Structures are given as structure tokens and as C-alpha cells.
Amino acid sequence: MISLGPNLGAPHTKAFGGGLFELRLKGAEGIARVFFSPLIGRRIVVLHSFIKKSDKTPPYDREIAEARMKEIKREHA
């Protein structure tokens, strides 16, 4: 974000719908994914992160992020 700014698009982010987004990161340790949501005003809430070990995002990791997003939405409704 330092070099590209806050308005990242493809291939750096992917929208999953319902306010859930995936940030795609590459580093020395491998490929990482971070699920986030812009839920509270201009703040971004990081919901779940993991090191990617397969071609597709595991459904379990997405389910964790969705459950946490629902919890945060309930708290701030």
C-alpha cells in the first residue's frame, strides 16, 4: 500500500460479496491471504489471515472470515 496507495484493485484485492474482501500478498515466506471488510466508517477490519498452500482459497478460511464479519456487524448495528 505504501507504493500503490490505498485504492488497490485487481490483482491485489478480490471482492467476495457482502462486504468481504481478500488482500493477496506475496513475500519471502510464500503467498498470504488476508480477509478484511470496511465495516466501521473509514476503518478496515482484518478478519482472518493465512498462508496459502493450495491454488484455491480453502472454504474453511472463508467461513472463519464470514463468521467474524457477522459478529462485528452485530456489535456495531
Side-chain angles (χ1 to χ4, degrees):
M1 290 182 85
I2 291 172
S3 63
L4 299 173
N7 296 322
L8 297 176
H12 306 292
T13 60
K14 179 180 178 182
F16 277 94
L20 183 64
F21 295 88
E22 178 186 58
L23 182 60
R24 300 168 171 194
L25 306 168
K26 291 181 183 178
E29 297 83 21
I31 299 171
R33 297 292 187 253
V34 177
F35 283 109
F36 69 94
S37 182
L39 291 176
I40 307 166
R42 294 180 53 110
R43 295 182 183 185
I44 294 174
V45 178
V46 175
L47 302 166
H48 181 62
S49 64
F50 61 98
I51 301 297
K52 190 171 176 188
K53 297 180 182 176
S54 63
D55 288 340
K56 294 192 173 189
T57 298
Y60 175 75
D61 289 301
R62 183 175 172 178
E63 291 167 4
I64 290 172
E66 289 171 340
R68 290 177 179 169
M69 186 171 64
K70 287 178 187 176
E71 182 180 328
I72 289 172
K73 281 185 176 181
R74 276 193 304 258
E75 291 176 4
H76 291 91

